């Protein structure tokens, strides 16, 4: 598999492995991944800080066993770290003393530049990953089987990532029936900045503008008249504040790059309206009506 | 009814009138309005430029009769003009020679500042209106009964609009079980700029930025990774180009005012990210998460 270029491999593959897999973090992503991998015949050990979450994961059949101790993963062959971004590197540091050097670690963080390189420094057999299935709810109670099927899953190996580690994680992940991509961490972060992190900032600025831009009578009328157009455009900007903050904090450079390009485009739209250039506005909207279709999967 | 302030009248009222009503333009809005008003017991005459549309309106029972001639409305008491914005004033001009001076005219245009004052100059008994129900489809084939129930309907009379005309249109409209509001044309236009026209420009600039901001590999990856967040935020920006152009052209001043405030808010968001002020970003998102709820009806 070529690293450093965007690759899409769509054909489902048969996994002949029956591996000992560890999952750290049994939230929406971790518990769903565990459930799918266990159903494929692998042996699953889960780790959560909450004993109640461990019990739920076992009783719902998502893992074979679960523990609050990272040391319980000492005999696993592959470990998926599905904690919040801020805990990924510290989790690897705490795992290191327990693991055999052949153990492969991958993660599920939604940014990769801030993770892939330092994680590979901590553990040679590290392959950055990002499963993009998700829903508004979080936690193990929202977890379900088959959540990754048909959705993107990106791996972001580095030039010096051992090819065996890439192959093993690729096989495990592709068996989930996901749409599989390989990219560099920077390509990944720029792509998600465009389609995930930029929309959050664009959308939240819309809510801010509506709140601050007019008198109380017009604001009240606007609130009463708002319908599906405003609702859809403001949805991600009115979403989880901690998640939005993490996007900005951990993908700052790519997000700022996207925001500056967005400012240029917005300025162009405003200029056309100021100069009564209605043909240009209509042309812009017609171009974007067509272009948007390529973003709908 | 006080004019010039935002008023909401929610109690449904019983209409005792049985009026002769004309509808010009039998598209989604016009045909749906006709169907509802006819079911309330009024006598409905429709006018469309297309003879096929006239036939459909009659055969679907939305009107009692239909014609391609505006003169066919000479005996009506109230006329709803449901043409595209660009044709509203010329339609009134063409109607004037046929009508008794007591005839009341109202419209269904989505901007009011550019319509209400010149229309009132052309016809004293004019009351600007904006029924806000709508869907993605257009034309008589998309028309349906009950489309306005529960949705906003705004009337925008002027200080010198005859009170009898306001009362008659108010009674007809409130019988649709809509959420009824009175506002000045300027208040209306500023409110819809915030929640309808600004979102279109914000959203289409997002698509433009994604198209132009990166190399082909990252653009392709972004297109493949895009999911519901991008889809929702880009929806209205990838909508009907003619409609978006009309919003900009006919509501230019209010839209530019909103766009400039939006630029200020966006700049503030970018400044916070540039200066690593993550608490400010999280606070902004938390504020907007709460504020957005007031826009969800």
């Amino acid at each position: 598999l070529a690293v450093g270029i965007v690759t899409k491999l769509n054909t489902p593959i048969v996994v002949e492995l029956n591996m000992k897999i560890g999952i750290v973090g049994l939230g929406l992503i971790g518990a769903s991944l565990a459930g799918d991998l266990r159903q494929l015949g692998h042996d699953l050990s889960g780790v959560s800080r909450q004993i109640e979450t461990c019990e739920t994961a076992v009783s719902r059949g998502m893992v074979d066993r679960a523990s609050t101790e990272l040391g319980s993963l000492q005999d696993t062959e592959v470990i998926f770290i599905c904690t919040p971004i801020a805990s990924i590197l510290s989790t690897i540091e705490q795992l290191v003393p327990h693991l055999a050097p052949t153990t492969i670690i991958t993660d599920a963080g939604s940014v990769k530049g801030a993770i892939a390189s330092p994680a590979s420094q901590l553990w040679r057999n590290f392959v950055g990953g990002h499963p993009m299935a998700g829903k508004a709810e979080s936690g193990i109670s929202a977890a379900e089987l088959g959540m990754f099927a048909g959705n993107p899953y990106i791996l972001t190996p580095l030039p010096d990532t051992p090819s065996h580690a890439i192959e093993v994680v690729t096989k495990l992940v592709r068996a989930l029936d996901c749409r599989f991509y390989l990219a560099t961490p920077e390509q990944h972060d720029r792509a998600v900045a465009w389609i995930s992190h930029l929309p959050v900032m664009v959308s939240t600025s819309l809510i801010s503008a509506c709140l601050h831009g007019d008198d109380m009578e017009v604001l009240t009328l606007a609130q009463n008249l708002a319908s599906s157009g405003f609702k859809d455009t403001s949805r991600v900007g009115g979403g989880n504040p901690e998640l939005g903050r993490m996007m900005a904090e951990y993908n700052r450079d790519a997000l700022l790059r996207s925001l500056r390009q967005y400012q240029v485009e917005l300025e162009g739209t405003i200029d056309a309206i100021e100069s009564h250039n209605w043909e240009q506005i209509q042309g812009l909207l017609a171009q974007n009506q067509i272009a948007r279709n390529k973003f709908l999967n």
Side-chain angles (χ1 to χ4, degrees), chain A:
Chain A
L1 293 174
V3 176
I5 58 158
V6 176
T7 309
K8 184 177 175 180
L9 301 169
N10 259 334
T11 331
I13 56 158
V14 180
V15 179
E16 289 151 24
L17 321 157
N18 184 334
M19 305 194 79
K20 292 179 186 167
I21 297 176
I23 305 275
V24 183
L26 296 170
L28 172 67
I29 298 290
S32 298
L33 262 177
D36 278 1
L37 291 169
R38 185 162 186 253
Q39 204 163 57
L40 288 166
H42 301 290
D43 179 84
L44 267 291
S45 300
V47 170
S48 169
R49 284 200 279 188
Q50 310 292 327
I51 186 72
E52 296 79 10
T53 305
C54 293
E55 289 165 359
T56 304
V58 172
S59 69
R60 286 187 57 187
M62 287 152 162
V63 293
D64 293 279
R65 67 200 70 80
S67 164
T68 57
E69 300 296 324
L70 288 171
S72 66
L73 303 183
Q74 63 179 352
D75 292 329
T76 57
E77 296 160 284
V78 181
I79 299 175
F80 288 76
I81 302 181
C82 302
T83 66
I85 297 171
S87 307
I88 294 173
L89 295 176
S90 63
T91 301
I92 296 175
E93 283 181 319
Q94 293 167 63
L95 276 168
V96 163
H98 302 287
L99 305 183
T102 53
T103 309
I104 296 164
I105 301 181
T106 184
D107 76 322
S110 60
V111 299
K112 298 270 64 84
I115 301 293
S117 184
S120 295
Q121 302 281 321
L122 290 169
W123 194 254
R124 185 171 143 73
N125 280 312
F126 176 86
V127 186
H130 182 196
M132 287 191 73
K135 35 184 190 173
E137 302 84 14
S138 61
I140 194 168
S141 56
E144 55 183 89
L145 292 182
M147 201 173 73
F148 305 98
N151 286 312
Y153 201 125
I154 309 101
L155 293 186
T156 61
L158 301 177
D160 58 354
T161 303
S163 59
H164 173 69
I166 305 173
E167 278 166 32
V168 169
V169 180
T170 298
K171 282 189 182 172
L172 284 173
V173 160
R174 288 186 60 201
L176 302 172
D177 259 355
C178 55
R179 292 186 284 121
F180 179 81
Y181 301 93
L182 279 179
T184 66
E186 194 197 353
Q187 288 175 325
H188 169 276
D189 286 358
R190 276 158 54 181
V192 296
W194 289 117
I195 53 86
S196 174
H197 305 169
L198 175 63
V200 169
M201 300 306 155
V202 160
S203 173
T204 210
S205 300
L206 172 66
I207 305 174
S208 299
C210 292
L211 280 182
H212 303 138
D214 222 312
D215 61 49
M216 190 54 66
E217 272 184 4
V218 172
L219 174 59
T220 303
L221 185 61
Q223 287 170 337
N224 280 301
L225 302 188
S227 64
S228 64
F230 181 84
K231 188 176 171 181
D232 282 2
T233 317
S234 66
R235 185 176 66 81
V236 296
N240 186 320
E242 290 79 18
L243 203 62
R245 172 225 176 110
M246 287 298 134
M247 294 172 175
E249 188 170 350
Y250 287 93
N251 201 17
R252 177 177 177 273
D253 294 349
L255 177 55
L256 281 174
R257 197 171 166 278
S258 295
L259 278 163
R260 290 200 191 98
Q261 180 68 30
Y262 180 78
Q263 281 187 304
V264 171
E265 302 292 340
L266 184 71
E267 191 73 53
T269 307
I270 293 173
D271 285 350
I273 297 172
E274 272 183 338
S275 54
H276 300 263
N277 198 336
W278 312 126
E279 288 303 320
Q280 188 187 332
I281 291 291
Q282 188 168 334
L284 175 78
L285 290 163
Q287 161 211 285
N288 288 345
Q289 186 179 39
I290 294 164
R292 179 172 177 265
N293 291 323
K294 296 199 174 169
F295 290 85
L296 307 180
N297 299 294

